[in-house]
């Protein structure tokens, strides 16, 4: 494992307060992962540390549980697919990851939790960001009584031109 990767700490509006304490970050990714986990109230267990390091050490990206499992295996991190699922969902609950619903059969997890939308290439299982968040959502519907809109997710589905 190399320690030269840059760690990108995800931030969201809801997490701003919890993650603004960057003074705890030392510049060393391993320690950053520990600080990040502590800031969201997760105990920095060996497995969370290892998976966090793999997830957040490569910048913004979109991963499925299977993809993370493959990377963990390659990095010689002994972890089961069940643990990967649990960890991904725990990270999502505390706002470190965002789940992108592109396909009914597969959940993608985004290390960039700021507001943005996605392209999905049908049949190729590829997810990537729509740049600049310039997606015209048209007219946002009025939420029913007692509700407010939490977020608008846009997935633009692509296919290769024939
Ligand atoms: Zn994204």
């Amino acid at each position: 494992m190399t320690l030269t990767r840059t760690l990108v700490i995800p931030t969201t509006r809801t997490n701003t307060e919890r993650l603004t304490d960057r003074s705890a970050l030392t510049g060393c990714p391993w320690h950053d992962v520990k600080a990040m986990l502590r800031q969201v109230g997760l105990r920095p267990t060996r497995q969370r540390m290892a998976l966090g390091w793999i997830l957040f050490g490569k910048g913004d990206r979109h991963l499925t549980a299977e993809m993370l499992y493959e990377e963990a295996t390659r990095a010689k991190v002994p972890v089961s697919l069940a643990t990967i699922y649990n960890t991904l969902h725990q990270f999502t609950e505390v706002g470190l990851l965002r789940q992108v619903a592109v396909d009914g059969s597969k959940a993608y997890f985004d290390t960039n939790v700021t507001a943005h939308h996605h392209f999905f290439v049908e049949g190729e299982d590829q997810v990537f960001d729509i740049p600049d968040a310039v997606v015209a959502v048209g007219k946002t519907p009025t939420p029913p009584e007692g509700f407010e809109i939490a977020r608008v997710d846009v997935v633009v589905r692509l296919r290769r031109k024939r």
Side-chain angles (χ1 to χ4, degrees):
M1 296 203 287
T2 130
L3 286 171
T4 49
R5 292 172 188 163
T6 322
L7 185 76
V8 177
I9 308 288
T11 48
T12 52
R13 255 166 268 143
T14 49
N15 271 334
T16 314
E17 292 132 76
R18 276 183 287 177
L19 290 174
T20 39
D21 183 21
R22 298 284 172 101
S23 56
L25 304 181
T26 59
C28 166
W30 191 259
H31 288 118
D32 285 358
V33 173
K34 192 180 244 176
M36 191 171 82
L37 290 173
R38 288 226 166 104
Q39 276 171 21
V40 294
L42 286 179
R43 205 158 56 83
T45 60
R46 198 170 273 276
Q47 281 179 329
R48 281 184 191 141
M49 290 284 292
L51 294 178
W53 185 82
I54 294 170
L55 273 168
F56 301 112
K58 289 180 179 173
D60 293 345
R61 58 207 194 108
H62 312 90
L63 287 147
T64 62
E66 289 76 16
M67 286 158 79
L68 181 60
Y69 181 68
E70 243 174 65
E71 288 193 20
T73 306
R74 254 185 278 131
K76 309 244 186 299
V77 174
V79 69
S80 68
L81 193 54
T83 302
I84 299 252
Y85 274 108
N86 288 340
T87 308
L88 285 171
H89 286 289
Q90 284 167 349
F91 283 9
T92 304
E93 261 169 51
V94 297
L96 292 176
L97 290 174
R98 183 182 136 182
Q99 200 169 331
V100 186
V102 287
D103 189 359
S105 61
K106 242 185 213 138
Y108 283 83
F109 294 86
D110 198 339
T111 60
N112 175 5
V113 293
T114 59
H116 65 283
H117 303 295
H118 294 96
F119 282 124
F120 176 65
V121 187
E122 290 184 336
E124 295 182 21
D125 291 348
Q126 265 199 77
V127 178
F128 51 99
D129 293 345
I130 295 177
D132 295 319
V134 267
V135 176
V137 184
K139 206 164 153 255
T140 313
T142 310
E145 190 65 33
F147 291 91
E148 60 181 6
I149 293 171
R151 189 171 84 194
V152 177
D153 283 337
V154 176
V155 174
V156 178
R157 306 176 76 88
L158 305 174
R159 62 171 175 230
R160 302 264 174 201
K161 281 187 184 171
R162 263 153 233 183

